[in-house]
Amino acid sequence: MISKISYIKRRENLLSYLGGCSALVMCHPSYVRNGDTEYPYRQNSFMHYLTGFDEPECALLVLG
């Protein structure tokens, strides 16, 4: 399991790379397969790397 501190450090590294700019990371929505069944959800890799959050239809705003 990855600690919360690791995710914080990853976001701090992103901010240092952006050089004072901000970033908005959107995740994937859930998709319906047959009208009543959804495909298994897979989070956007970049969003998961920065947050560890696996819920659909969310966003991450990193302010620089």
Side-chain angles (χ1 to χ4, degrees):
M1 180 171 195
I2 300 173
S3 69
K4 291 179 183 181
I5 294 171
S6 296
Y7 291 116
I8 292 169
K9 287 181 181 178
R10 290 175 180 180
R11 291 190 295 268
E12 288 172 350
N13 288 339
L14 174 65
L15 282 174
S16 67
Y17 178 78
L18 293 174
C21 295
S22 299
L24 178 63
V25 181
M26 304 295 292
C27 70
H28 296 154
S30 57
Y31 293 103
V32 176
R33 180 170 44 184
N34 294 357
D36 65 346
T37 304
E38 294 181 349
Y39 283 104
Y41 184 72
R42 182 182 182 281
Q43 182 61 276
N44 175 319
S45 296
F46 194 57
M47 173 69 104
H48 186 71
Y49 176 78
L50 292 173
T51 65
F53 193 64
D54 287 327
E55 292 296 320
E57 301 179 16
C58 61
L60 170 67
L61 179 61
V62 182
L63 299 173

